[in-house]
Amino acid sequence: MMKILVINGPNLNLLGERKPDVYGHRSLDDINAFISDYFKRVRLDFFQSNHEGAIVDKIQEARRLYDGIVINPGALTHYSYAIRDAIESIDLPVAEVHISNIFNRESFRNKSVISAVCVGTVSGFGAYGYVMAAQALAHQIKRRKNAKTD
Ligand code: CA2
């Protein structure tokens, strides 16, 4: 069975507690259950950390255990070269997700240092963005696997 790891970065463990206008009403556990409901033939595992290094460790560990990664790096999106390098160092497709539209917010959020090393980015579609990213990633992984066996 295909395995995808969903990673959430700093402060996303507080979802649902504040700023519902920007991030919605769901908690992170609610969002994870919401994503899982869409998939029957993909195993999804979930990881959240407020620590950059722990996220780098998890990305490295994932290279042997998963077929792809969906990541919302939180504010690390905008400045973490360590996460960017970790993604670039592994041979797994990674999809970037943002609950909010990072392009219509404060200027410091308009830039992602992660996007260039990801297969694609979904931004602004709320929790459904994780579903979109995981679906697109599963499609890519299937294509890559078929290409190898062709
Ligand atoms: O839109 C997104 O998903 C973000 O990645 C969320 C990050 C933010 O720094 C990025 O610019 C965009 C942070 C999430 C902060 O989460 C909160 C949770 C509860 C209450 C307030 C903020």
Side-chain angles (χ1 to χ4, degrees), residues 11-12 14-15 18 23 72 74-75 78 98-100 102 109:
N11 299 309
L12 288 155
L14 299 182
L15 284 174
R18 276 186 49 242
Y23 299 118
N72 181 348
H78 314 300
H98 299 288
I99 297 168
S100 65
I102 60 170
R109 295 188 204 276

Side-chain angles (χ1 to χ4, degrees), residues 18 32 39 71 74 83 93 95 108 110 123 125 129 138 141 143 145:
R18 276 186 49 242
N32 292 345
F39 295 89
I71 187 165
I83 290 183
F108 76 90
N110 298 163
S123 180
F125 290 97
I141 293 163
R143 269 187 27 199
K145 278 189 177 165

Side-chain angles (χ1 to χ4, degrees), residues 35-113:
I35 306 166
S36 291
D37 266 1
Y38 277 86
F39 295 89
K40 296 209 165 30
R41 288 193 298 269
V42 177
R43 184 176 125 195
L44 291 163
D45 290 337
F46 300 94
F47 175 77
Q48 188 276 331
S49 178
N50 293 325
H51 306 280
E52 185 179 29
I55 295 171
V56 170
D57 286 345
K58 198 69 183 180
I59 292 168
Q60 290 188 7
E61 199 184 297
R63 77 191 192 280
R64 302 196 195 287
L65 303 175
Y66 292 92
D67 299 297
I69 299 175
V70 169
I71 187 165
N72 181 348
L76 293 167
T77 302
H78 314 300
Y79 64 89
S80 176
Y81 298 123
I83 290 183
R84 180 200 163 106
D85 284 351
I87 293 172
E88 205 177 18
S89 311
I90 58 165
D91 188 28
L92 286 186
V94 177
E96 177 186 9
V97 176
H98 299 288
I99 297 168
S100 65
N101 180 349
I102 60 170
F103 303 104
N104 68 7
R105 301 186 60 197
E106 303 97 316
S107 58
F108 76 90
R109 295 188 204 276
N110 298 163
K111 190 182 165 210
S112 166
V113 301

